[in-house]
């Protein structure tokens, strides 16, 4: 068993999950920015983590390249976002849609993927994302006036929150262990 975790993270939530996974599996967690130093020769499973960035998943192009270049290796994807987990009232359909926009089922039918609730930290965002979020808050602020669920989310986002939870990793860890046992 020789997995590695590679993660893309701007404000730290995905990084935290990546290090928890590495700790569980006894392997390394490598930041996406350090990927050029990554030697996959003896790695059998690549666990790639990133975050929902509107309609995209940062680093997904690299992951697709690695999947194409290494047909003999196993890949597992996890994505974090501000959306609640389905068991917390989030929409499983919207989460799946967000994953499938970048990794369509027709092209990646066997790629195991997991959603893990991240958090939101406006103060750690880069300038472009901060501007995007200000525009987003204009819209959600309007929605919040008439929709209590939207109001709750709008408040949490504006205040910032950390929704990371190590127990959410159990299905992912079980999946990696079962892949490694095959
Ligand atoms: C510009 C922008 C767009 C985002 N879009 C989404 C989204 O579509 N769905 C979602 O659940 N979270 C979205 N988020 C929230 C991030 O995915 C969330 O904060 C994530 O945990 C950040 O990961 P990081 O801390 O590792 O950078 C967005 C955040 C930013 C800044």
């Amino acid at each position: 068993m020789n997995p590695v975790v590679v993660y893309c993270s701007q404000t730290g939530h995905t990084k935290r999950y990546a290090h928890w996974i590495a700790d569980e599996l006894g392997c390394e967690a490598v930041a996406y920015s350090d990927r050029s130093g990554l030697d996959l020769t003896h790695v059998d499973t690549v666990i790639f983590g990133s975050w929902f960035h509107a309609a995209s998943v940062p680093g997904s192009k690299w992951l697709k390249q690695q999947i194409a270049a290494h047909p003999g290796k196993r890949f597992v994807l996890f994505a974090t976002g501000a959306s609640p987990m389905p068991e917390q009232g989030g929409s499983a359909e919207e989460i799946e849609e967000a994953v499938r926009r970048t990794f369509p089922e027709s092209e990646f039918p066997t790629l195991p993927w997991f959603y893990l609730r991240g958090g939101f930290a406006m103060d750690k965002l880069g300038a472009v994302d901060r501007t995007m979020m200000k525009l987003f808050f204009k819209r959600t602020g309007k929605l919040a006036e008439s929709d209590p669920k939207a109001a709750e989310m709008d408040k949490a986002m504006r205040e910032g929150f950390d929704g990371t939870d190590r127990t959410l990793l159990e299905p992912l860890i079980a999946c990696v262990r079962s892949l490694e046992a095959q």
Side-chain angles (χ1 to χ4, degrees):
M1 174 161 164
N2 197 12
V4 69
V5 188
V6 181
Y7 65 92
C8 246
S9 182
Q10 180 174 211
T11 63
H13 303 94
T14 314
K15 180 179 180 178
R16 188 168 312 131
Y17 280 117
H19 282 275
W20 279 336
I21 296 166
D23 182 46
E24 288 282 337
L25 298 175
C27 69
E28 212 186 341
V30 178
Y32 182 72
S33 52
D34 295 333
R35 68 194 178 284
S36 60
L38 191 63
D39 179 5
L40 294 182
T41 313
H42 301 293
V43 166
D44 51 22
T45 307
V46 179
I47 302 149
F48 178 80
S50 186
W51 52 288
F52 288 147
H53 181 239
S56 69
V57 177
S60 56
K61 201 170 152 193
W62 178 85
L63 177 60
K64 289 178 185 182
Q65 286 165 353
Q66 300 312 308
I67 293 173
H70 301 285
K73 297 191 194 298
R74 303 177 194 101
F75 291 86
V76 174
L77 168 70
F78 74 91
T80 75
S83 309
M85 300 297 293
E87 55 272 28
Q88 296 168 330
S91 163
E93 289 75 23
E94 281 175 22
I95 290 166
E96 176 148 17
E97 252 178 59
V99 171
R100 289 302 177 201
R101 227 178 279 133
T102 307
F103 295 94
E105 185 144 33
S106 55
E107 282 177 59
F108 302 93
T110 59
L111 176 68
W113 63 267
F114 297 85
Y115 176 68
L116 303 166
R117 193 177 202 199
F120 187 72
M122 188 78 164
D123 55 320
K124 293 187 188 154
L125 292 179
V128 175
D129 282 341
R130 201 181 279 241
T131 306
M132 267 176 86
M133 290 311 297
K134 280 184 185 155
L135 294 172
F136 176 81
F137 283 139
K138 272 198 178 150
R139 262 190 296 132
T140 56
K142 281 241 151 44
L143 276 176
E145 288 168 14
S146 56
D147 178 346
K149 208 171 159 191
E152 202 183 309
M153 190 66 190
D154 181 66
K155 185 170 180 285
M157 295 284 285
R158 284 171 196 270
E159 287 173 357
F161 70 94
D162 179 0
T164 57
D165 174 355
R166 191 165 175 153
T167 66
L168 296 177
L169 285 174
E170 282 165 18
L172 183 152
I173 299 295
C175 169
V176 174
R177 291 210 166 112
S178 81
L179 286 174
E180 297 263 344
Q182 281 169 22

